[in-house]
Structure formats: C-alpha cells, structure tokens
Amino acid sequence: VWGKGEIHTNEKEVTEKEVTLHLLPGEQLLCEASTVLKYVQEDSCQRGIYGKLVCTDFKIAFLGDDESALDNDETQFKNKVIGENDITLHCVDQIYGVFDEKKKPLFGQLKKYPEKLIIHCKDLRVFHFGLRYTKEEEVKRVTTTQPPQFCLFKFVLLATDPKNHTVMFDTLKDWCWELERTKGNVKYKAVSVNEGYDVSERLPAYFVVPTPLPEEDVRCFQGRGIPIWCWSCHNGCAILKMSALPKEPDDGLLQNQKSFLDGIYKTLHRPPYETVKTEDLSSNFLSLQDIQTAYSKFKQLFLIDNSTEFWDTDIKWFSLLESSSWLDITRRCLKKAIEITECLEAQNMNVLLLEENASDLCCLLSSLVQVMMDPHCRTRAGFQSLVQKEWIMGGHCFLDRCNHLRQSDKEEVPVFQLFLDCVWQLVHQHPPAFDFTETYLTVLSDSLYIPIFSTFFFNSPHQKETNMGRESQETQSKPLNLLTVWDWSVQFEPKAQMLLKNPLYVEKPKLDKGQRKGTRFKHQRQLSLPLTQSKSSPKRGFFREETDHLIKNLLGKRISKLINSSDELQDNFREFYESWHSKPTDYHGLLLPHIEGPEIKVWAQRYLRWIPEAQILGGGRVATMSKLLEMMEEVEHLQEKIDERHHSQEALPAEAPPLLRSSARLSSLFPFALLQRHSSKPVLPTSGWKALGDEDDLAKREDEFVDLGDV
C-alpha cells in the first residue's frame, strides 16, 4: 500500500542463495532466467557475478548471488524504489544481442538466440549479461517476452501530498498567489474559462492573461493566439508565451485570424503595458530536430561498454564532443535567456515567446529566465514550483518527449534534460546562489524514468485527469491521488536527502568581492573545450614527451562552433552581459552565466558517474566540499560554545554532515560512483598507437591532447 510517501513491498523468495526480489504493489513477474553472468564493466575480461535476470511489467532486475558485498558500503546513495541492478522499462534505451561476438539491436523474431545481452539505459548505465550457461528455453523467454503496454496506474494507489511547500498550480488560488508574489496582479488576471477543458485540452484548467483581454477571445481559437503570462519582473515587465494559430488555406479564415491578432497586439501595446518584443522560436532559434540529433551523438560518449573502449574513444574526446554540438546548444539556450533578461531588465520591454504549441522551447526559456532573475526559483521549493508551473501545467509533452510508451522515436526529444543541463551550468558557476545541489538535479533527471510518479508521465493536465477519471471508474473507487516526484521521501531516506540540499547556500546577499567568482576545482578529464591557445605542463599532459610546438599545432586547429567571442554579440547584449560580470555577484539578485566556450562544461556527475575511469578517488569537488563542511561544523561548534558562555546554557552537539566524513575514500563522482571499482589508465591504448602515426600526422589532426589536470 502507498501511504505517507512510504513504499511497502511484497517479497518473492528466489531459490538462488535466498536472494530476494522486491515487487511493488501490483507488479507482475513476466519471466526469469537463471545462471546469468553480470559482467564487470571496467575491463574486457569475462569476470562478473552469477545470478538471476528477472523481467516484470515494471522493471528488469538482476539478483546477484554476491550482492552483500555491494550493499554494505555506508556511504552509498540508495534509492528506495529502484535498486542498483534495477532498470525500469521506461529507462531502457536500447537492447543489443551479441551473436558470434557481433553486437546487433535486439527486436522482432529471432532465428538464433544471443550469447550475451547489452542494455543501454536512458540514465546512461550499461549492463552486460552473459547467457552462455543459461537454459535455452529461459533465454528464449527473456529475449522474446513482450511486456504489456505499460500503464502507470497499475502500481499507484493512495499517497498523501508532501508538505514541501511546492505550489502545484492546479487551483485558481495558486495562480493568484503567484501573481501577487511577482506583483503581476496589477496588469494580469487569472482565469478559469478552461476549467472543464472546454476551450482547450492543451491548456491547464487555470492560467493568466492580460487584464483587458475578454474571455470570449480566449475561446476563439482554442486558446491559440492568446498571450499567456509566465512571470513578471520587479519593474512590471513580463514574459508571455503564445501558441501559433492553425494554418488556414481559406483567405477568409486567414483574414479573421489577422484581425484577431491585430486586436491582441493592440491590447498589449496600450498602457499600462510596456513595449512588446516578439521572439519567434519556431523560425529564429533551435529546432527540436537539432536537439534530438545533438543528444543522440552526445550520449554515445558515455555509453561505454568497457575500459578498453573508454581509452580508445578518449583519444577522440574533443572532436567527438564538438561534433555532437550539445555544449553549443546549451550555450545558445543560455545566451537566448540572457537576451530576454536584458530586454526585461535593461530595456523595460515585455517579451512574447512564439512557438507552434508553446510547450517546448517556450517552457525552457521562460524557466531559465526566471531562474536567472528570481531568487525564489533558486530555492528547492521555488524551483519545484517553477517546474510545475512552466512544464507540467505549461503542457510540455513528457509522454511523447520521453517516449514512455515507445510509440514514436521522432517525438523523443530531451528538452527537459536540456533545461536541467542549462540550470546545472548556473549551479556549477554560482554554487552559493542555489538552495539545491547538482545531486538534486541529477536525481530529478533520473526521476523522469520512474513511472510510479505522475509528474513526468503525461502530455498535459487534461490527459492526466482523463486517464485518472477512467481508472477510478474502472475500479469503482474515488479519484486516485497520484504520487508526486517532489515527495523525495518516497525515493530517499532523510540522511540521503541531505545531499540534495546545498549547505553553502547564501541566505542573504553578500557583496564581498572575495566571493565574486566560484572556486575552480581540479578534474581528471577536461570537460569543456578550450577557447584560446595555451601551454600544457609536460609532466601532467596525456603524453609525457609532448612539446610546446605540438600543443600549439593541436590547439591552433580548434573549434569554431562552440567558441563565439563577445565580438559577435549585439551591442546592447554585450554591454549588459559584460557590465554584470564586471560587478560583485549578488546571489539574491540577477544571476547571469558565463557563456564563453570553456565555461560551458560537461555535467560530469550525470554523464560520467557510471564510468570508473572518469573518477578521481579521494579528489574532485566532493573532497573540497567535505573540507568546507568540516570547517562549517567547527565554526558552528565554536559559536555554540560562545552562546553557552553568554547564556549559561548547555549547547547541543553539532550534527555531523552525513555521508561526507572521509573524503579520502570518496570518488569525485560521489554519491553515485561505486567505491569498490578501480580502473588504471594505460600509458597509451594499443589501438591509439596504431591510429596516431608519427608526431607530424598527429599535429594535423583536429583531436588535441592537452593537460587533463586542468579544467
């Protein structure tokens, strides 16, 4: 039963050494295979753990004979719903079969059964399962069983709403509260014209429009062509979004649309509204195809099968990273958000975002602007409320964009993941400005593929309510109250939840110049592309014998797309951008990211966490954080002693920060990296020597080998 965020599982005893399979309420076992070998990923040897591979209508799970060795690590970051060797069906990206040492995608009827399964996951885990010693009939069941069309509601019973102060924006009161908080209630009003979804199934039941706009206009084109309010700036300017009107071949209908839009624009340009700048995202910005193509290339950098493959691809790291264009797309999104911010903040203009359905790039940019301009959105409750408002109620098609039902690969576009990547760039550059950590963003991205939560499962609020109503009718019960992802107690124990909160968050603005820039941390692998030519220390470079001349030649052939100098920026934008970065940062005011090439980095914790070769044992950012927390603990202890002397009261002992007690034992990719896995970097991969040739040939290549100790 679900209740108060707690999960009580059924238990099914499995014969192999009493390994227990945990099933959620209603979860059904489909098939299983014994004597399956789960390979150790960090080498190409045939080592691993024997156990049972189980498939249910919710997940694929491996039950190892020797799991106790993996579970006794006191610092491991455990998820209560999904185990380390569990893969939800939504999280499966691709399944391959190995036939005579050749890897092929697994689908349809098989004439021959594979000797090995390779599963690539959407959270970038890679699993290898050997079937050589498994019975043929069990292999047949595992490789041919088709799970039923997965339905969220089978597992979801009752859950209580968490008291985490997240505004859900499912009532008129919530929208009125947001209008009052942002002082937008002077010029805008919350309307309930779509309360029964009579106007549009795409829009939420409640939303906000300009005050003079008649409700009849909202009904005209099913809510299309209507400026919908997103957020108001402190000076009264606002971000608005508008979905395009349907294309009509008839001239008379086109004239009606033109007259309708003219009336809308006249309303927006009359006092008390400021001048409106229109951003047509459908024609003047990224396309969804661009995002899809870039991420498809980018994720291949991290779906590594073994250690040898890692070091082979490491030789081409920079060229592969550049060719994916993912960092460039991230930079372009941040740049566009800064441009919108400049219009609102410096030019006192309203900004109207146009998009076909106003549910993809509109969500991304309006959310990014609010994170940059509104310190409330940089608290955890504020950020969760922002996602509810702009993405969930904003009608982002999570069901299609995440391809939960595997109906159309063309519709699968990681727009929300791109948003989280952009937010991570801000968190990484300005850590004290955020109440949450990068670990919070990482588990949020993972939660997209845990379908016990309704938050990221539907295309619209209407679709959610329709399916919920149908389900409750079929079961003849009251409407179901679905679990929300914002109740983190469902996934994590209180001790683990502490890692989601930033202990260095600045509660009040600080203008000390010494805090102007965030601390630079050392990493093992360079995660951004270099901007200008630089010299690398021969002692710490990839090649110990490298010369300055070689490095100069390599860096001279660098990138163009990811590195756009400030000369190309518009004068107003450049002045605004450079002026802000020349002043001390107010962490509770406007916050702008650096967008120069090297400043846009790979989100190491999310993308590299399953690759042992990318870890720095006892180092990286986590080691620095551990030292800072120790200092904070000592300061708190001293402060308590001072208070005790002043008030003559016994002070309570300071609570030690959880899970960060011994930084020497931690990996740079904590808390996700498995500490027992080590991998040694070869002097140079054998295949690398064959491919490189002599030094002159190497200098002609676009790939570069630089000091990997610096970021």
Side-chain angles (χ1 to χ4, degrees):
V1 180
W2 300 83
K4 299 183 179 179
E6 293 295 327
I7 296 178
H8 305 279
T9 61
N10 302 326
E11 295 186 357
K12 176 181 173 63
E13 294 300 323
V14 180
T15 57
E16 293 188 347
K17 298 194 178 181
E18 299 183 346
V19 179
T20 304
L21 171 64
H22 298 279
L23 296 175
L24 296 178
E27 185 178 357
Q28 299 295 319
L29 180 66
L30 298 180
C31 63
E32 57 186 58
S34 304
T35 327
V36 174
L37 179 65
K38 177 178 177 283
Y39 289 100
V40 177
Q41 195 177 331
E42 69 245 27
D43 58 34
S44 56
C45 301
Q46 302 300 301
R47 297 187 297 119
I49 301 172
Y50 277 100
K52 179 171 285 190
L53 188 63
V54 175
C55 182
T56 74
D57 54 357
F58 174 66
K59 65 176 179 280
I60 299 169
F62 177 76
L63 310 172
D65 295 347
D66 190 25
E67 285 189 308
S68 58
L70 300 176
D71 292 335
N72 59 10
D73 197 307
E74 64 181 14
T75 63
Q76 204 165 18
F77 188 54
K78 297 181 188 299
N79 190 304
K80 292 158 61 177
V81 179
I82 303 299
E84 177 193 334
N85 291 321
D86 293 348
I87 313 165
T88 66
L89 299 184
H90 285 91
C91 195
V92 175
D93 190 17
Q94 187 65 263
I95 301 179
Y96 299 93
V98 176
F99 304 85
D100 300 324
E101 299 185 357
K102 292 182 180 179
K103 187 172 80 171
K104 298 178 181 179
L106 205 63
F107 56 85
Q109 293 295 323
L110 300 176
K111 296 180 181 178
K112 182 181 178 182
Y113 297 111
E115 62 214 37
K116 187 177 180 182
L117 285 179
I118 301 176
I119 302 178
H120 286 183
C121 304
K122 292 183 179 180
D123 61 4
L124 305 179
R125 290 178 296 167
V126 178
F127 289 89
H128 294 246
F129 298 112
L131 306 175
R132 185 167 295 176
Y133 302 107
T134 309
K135 294 178 182 178
E136 185 174 332
E137 58 269 22
E138 292 184 342
V139 175
K140 180 180 179 180
R141 282 198 296 270
V142 166
T143 54
T144 59
T145 297
Q146 293 292 326
Q149 182 87 329
F150 183 75
C151 181
L152 171 79
F153 319 108
K154 288 182 68 174
F155 310 123
V156 182
L157 302 179
L158 296 178
T160 57
D161 290 327
K163 296 180 179 179
N164 56 18
H165 308 294
T166 300
V167 183
M168 305 303 283
F169 290 98
D170 53 0
T171 65
L172 193 64
K173 181 181 177 182
D174 289 347
W175 288 98
C176 292
W177 175 87
E178 180 71 356
L179 277 172
E180 187 175 345
R181 185 187 71 82
T182 59
K183 307 294 189 291
N185 49 358
V186 177
K187 304 175 185 178
Y188 300 91
K189 64 181 179 182
V191 295
S192 57
V193 64
N194 196 40
E195 199 162 20
Y197 300 103
D198 298 326
V199 174
S200 172
E201 296 179 356
R202 182 180 46 83
L203 292 173
Y206 312 100
F207 51 92
V208 175
V209 296
T211 302
L213 193 71
E215 289 194 1
E216 300 78 52
D217 286 357
V218 179
R219 298 178 180 275
C220 284
F221 294 98
Q222 296 183 325
R224 293 183 176 273
I226 295 297
I228 295 177
W229 176 88
C230 298
W231 178 78
S232 287
C233 183
H234 62 86
N235 58 12
C237 298
I239 313 172
L240 306 164
K241 64 180 179 182
M242 180 189 290
S243 53
L245 288 170
K247 295 179 181 179
E248 296 288 353
D250 184 82
D251 290 341
L253 293 174
L254 282 174
Q255 188 60 42
N256 288 342
Q257 289 185 356
K258 186 177 182 301
S259 301
F260 176 77
L261 286 177
D262 285 345
I264 295 294
Y265 280 112
K266 284 178 182 177
T267 299
L268 287 178
H269 282 86
R270 280 197 294 262
Y273 299 101
E274 293 77 13
T275 307
V276 177
K277 179 182 179 181
T278 301
E279 289 279 358
D280 189 349
L281 303 178
S282 298
S283 59
N284 299 327
F285 194 48
L286 295 166
S287 69
L288 295 181
Q289 181 65 48
D290 293 336
I291 298 170
Q292 184 188 57
T293 303
Y295 190 72
S296 294
K297 292 180 180 178
F298 180 68
K299 71 181 180 181
Q300 295 306 318
L301 293 172
F302 312 104
L303 292 169
I304 303 295
D305 282 345
N306 53 55
S307 182
T308 303
E309 182 181 339
F310 175 85
W311 292 114
D312 286 348
T313 56
D314 188 64
I315 294 175
K316 301 177 181 179
W317 168 257
F318 279 136
S319 60
L320 292 172
L321 187 58
E322 179 195 3
S323 65
S324 75
S325 299
W326 182 255
L327 294 186
D328 180 50
I329 284 176
T330 303
R331 185 193 65 82
R332 288 176 64 184
C333 291
L334 290 168
K335 180 176 177 287
K336 178 62 73 174
I338 297 173
E339 290 174 1
I340 295 170
T341 300
E342 189 267 337
C343 289
L344 295 166
E345 181 78 16
Q347 298 187 37
N348 291 331
M349 297 173 67
N350 291 326
V351 177
L352 178 63
L353 304 176
L354 289 178
E355 193 181 14
E356 183 178 356
N357 290 315
S359 60
D360 287 302
L361 297 173
C362 279
C363 300
L364 189 151
L365 290 173
S366 63
S367 300
L368 269 183
V369 170
Q370 291 174 65
V371 171
M372 291 180 187
M373 298 189 71
D374 190 345
H376 174 69
C377 296
R378 301 197 285 267
T379 65
R380 197 162 89 183
F383 184 78
Q384 293 175 175
S385 301
L386 172 68
V387 173
Q388 277 291 139
K389 181 181 68 169
E390 297 297 333
W391 294 85
I392 313 303
M393 293 299 160
H396 181 65
C397 299
F398 282 101
L399 192 66
D400 293 340
R401 294 291 176 254
C402 298
N403 201 12
H404 285 319
L405 299 181
R406 300 189 177 278
Q407 291 180 336
S408 174
D409 291 342
K410 292 181 180 179
E411 294 293 321
E412 185 174 359
V413 186
V415 183
F416 187 70
Q417 177 57 48
L418 177 59
F419 165 65
L420 294 181
D421 219 318
C422 291
V423 173
W424 178 85
Q425 303 292 337
L426 284 160
V427 170
H428 182 76
Q429 293 181 24
H430 305 288
F434 290 86
D435 181 36
F436 49 85
T437 61
E438 68 168 339
T439 302
Y440 168 84
L441 294 175
T442 302
V443 297
L444 182 57
S445 71
D446 291 343
S447 299
L448 283 170
Y449 307 110
I450 304 179
I452 62 170
F453 304 111
S454 64
T455 311
F456 302 127
F457 194 80
F458 298 98
N459 282 336
S460 66
H462 170 263
Q463 188 185 61
K464 175 182 174 180
E465 291 190 20
T466 301
N467 281 278
M468 292 303 303
R470 184 185 303 131
E471 182 73 13
S472 59
Q473 286 176 7
E474 290 176 359
T475 57
Q476 296 182 347
S477 62
K478 295 179 180 178
L480 299 179
N481 184 18
L482 295 183
L483 283 173
T484 170
V485 74
W486 312 128
D487 186 356
W488 294 106
S489 65
V490 174
Q491 295 191 64
F492 302 106
E493 298 291 352
K495 194 175 182 182
Q497 288 183 57
M498 291 295 290
L499 290 171
L500 309 183
K501 183 174 177 61
N502 181 12
L504 304 181
Y505 173 58
V506 175
E507 296 286 350
K508 296 180 181 178
K510 297 202 183 271
L511 302 176
D512 183 3
K513 292 183 179 179
Q515 299 177 353
R516 173 64 187 86
K517 292 186 178 181
T519 307
R520 301 284 182 180
F521 299 107
K522 297 290 182 182
H523 291 264
Q524 189 176 34
R525 188 169 185 170
Q526 192 160 324
L527 300 178
S528 62
L529 290 160
L531 176 62
T532 57
Q533 297 185 10
S534 61
K535 293 184 178 181
S536 175
S537 167
K539 294 180 181 178
R540 289 165 54 193
F542 193 94
F543 299 111
R544 293 176 182 242
E545 304 298 327
E546 66 195 3
T547 64
D548 290 342
H549 175 71
L550 173 61
I551 293 296
K552 184 176 181 180
N553 283 339
L554 290 168
L555 290 175
K557 298 192 166 200
R558 214 40 257 159
I559 348 207
S560 57
K561 288 168 81 177
L562 276 168
I563 303 162
N564 286 11
S565 65
S566 58
D567 293 339
E568 71 159 0
L569 305 177
Q570 303 94 333
D571 290 340
N572 288 342
F573 172 83
R574 182 173 61 186
E575 183 180 350
F576 177 73
Y577 177 80
E578 293 179 351
S579 173
W580 186 89
H581 282 291
S582 67
K583 299 172 184 176
T585 302
D586 176 5
Y587 290 122
H588 272 243
L590 178 64
L591 197 70
L592 299 184
H594 287 280
I595 58 171
E596 296 81 11
E599 298 294 342
I600 304 300
K601 301 182 185 298
V602 174
W603 182 359
Q605 188 192 68
R606 182 179 192 274
Y607 297 117
L608 292 168
R609 57 187 158 151
W610 314 121
I611 305 176
E613 293 80 7
Q615 299 174 29
I616 312 170
L617 296 177
R621 193 163 191 163
V622 67
T624 308
M625 178 69 76
S626 180
K627 295 298 181 186
L628 288 171
L629 292 178
E630 287 177 15
M631 290 175 62
M632 289 174 61
E633 182 183 353
E634 188 176 351
V635 169
E636 287 180 8
H637 185 63
L638 290 172
Q639 184 63 51
E640 286 171 353
K641 284 190 172 182
I642 293 172
D643 293 341
E644 184 181 357
R645 288 191 177 184
H646 280 305
H647 304 291
S648 298
Q649 294 179 353
E650 184 177 352
L652 294 172
E655 184 178 348
L659 307 179
L660 283 173
R661 300 304 300 163
S662 177
S663 61
R665 296 178 61 247
L666 299 180
S667 157
S668 58
L669 301 178
F670 175 85
F672 298 97
L674 301 179
L675 305 185
Q676 69 274 11
R677 295 172 65 185
H678 303 275
S679 178
S680 300
K681 169 183 172 181
V683 177
L684 187 67
T686 306
S687 59
W689 284 117
K690 296 176 183 177
L692 289 175
D694 58 24
E695 190 171 290
D696 293 332
D697 292 334
L698 181 60
K700 295 175 184 176
R701 294 176 178 268
E702 287 189 356
D703 301 327
E704 40 174 77
F705 300 86
V706 295
D707 181 359
L708 299 185
D710 293 328
V711 174

